[in-house]
Amino acid sequence: MWLLIGSLAVFFVSSILLYVVYIAMRVQSEHSITQKMILPWSFIPSTILLAGVSVCLELAYRAACRDKLARVKQMAIAACAMGIGFLFIQSDGMKRLLDGLAEAQTRNESAYGYTFILVFLHAAHVVGGAIGLWWTARNALSNRYDHERNIGLKVCTLYWHFLDVVWVFLLISFWIAVVLVNAKAA
């Protein structure tokens, strides 16, 4: 699991750095980004839901370590529901990014497309995590997690913590892009 998280960390860190560097270079070039950029409002509730998934999984894992099986089930179901909610709300944010790109007269004057790509890459990893989340919730409902057998729950929890950290860094990079682009477009 650590190898997977490490390789994904390298992928996302390099993607985020390239995104910020590219936006900064484009803002300063003669073919500058001219369209103002607004981040979708839905990124706020989706961030809260994503953090909620991690919190619920962490609580489920701790409950499993103490053999509180009813609590494991509650937290696993709550995490699953929040993960699905995240995907629905995030799809609205992705649509808004595409709408911003469609409003641009040319694709070169907008930063929305590059932002969409990073959001999409994260969402694709969330979909993969949602499959693991569903499997974990299914196992929790079957009482398969306790103080001795909880590795699947632990792995799922670690992966979702990783997705949280990546999303926070993505949001920071998007905010930097908004500041750079809007300062130049003003």
Side-chain angles (χ1 to χ4, degrees), residues 27 32-37 109 177-186:
V27 165
S32 181
I33 297 170
T34 56
Q35 181 187 25
K36 284 196 170 212
M37 187 173 170
E109 71 179 35
V178 166
V179 169
L180 292 173
V181 168
N182 292 347
K184 178 71 174 189

Side-chain angles (χ1 to χ4, degrees), residues 58-75:
E58 185 66 33
L59 292 173
Y61 175 71
R62 291 179 185 191
C65 290
R66 290 187 299 260
D67 288 329
K68 297 187 179 204
L69 302 183
R71 183 78 169 153
V72 173
K73 290 177 188 178
Q74 291 170 343
M75 292 297 102

Side-chain angles (χ1 to χ4, degrees), residues 2 31 43 74:
W2 287 110
H31 301 292
F43 284 2
Q74 291 170 343

